[in-house]
Amino acid sequence: MAGYLMVVIDILLVAYISWLTLRASTKLYRLLGEDGISAISRIMGFMLICIGGQFVINGIGNLLHDPAFWPLAK
């Protein structure tokens, strides 16, 4: 039961932080300007590509280490 409660609390915490961030978006836009927003968007896109690439690498690694993938190697 405690595990479910922690998941619900975490979801509510992330929702609250997201709400605060969206609420402050106009102030952040004024602070960063068009160039700052563009730079952050590019950095976030690069990070997303890196995470996706890591998922592919992990998936291929797990596939290659799976004995069921190599049926003739027995």
Side-chain angles (χ1 to χ4, degrees):
M1 190 65 177
Y4 290 119
L5 182 62
M6 287 302 297
V7 169
V8 169
I9 290 172
D10 289 342
I11 289 171
L12 292 174
L13 183 63
V14 168
Y16 181 68
I17 291 171
S18 298
W19 178 78
L20 286 176
T21 303
L22 290 172
R23 180 125 170 117
S25 63
T26 55
K27 293 177 186 175
L28 287 173
Y29 184 78
R30 274 189 263 132
L31 178 70
L32 296 174
E34 189 69 35
D35 293 334
I37 296 294
S38 177
I40 289 177
S41 295
R42 289 174 185 257
I43 291 170
M44 295 298 287
F46 178 72
M47 290 174 64
L48 186 62
I49 289 172
C50 291
I51 291 169
Q54 190 63 52
F55 279 148
V56 169
I57 290 169
N58 290 347
I60 291 172
N62 290 337
L63 180 68
L64 293 177
H65 287 99
D66 187 4
F69 184 72
W70 303 101
L72 298 177
K74 292 181 180 180

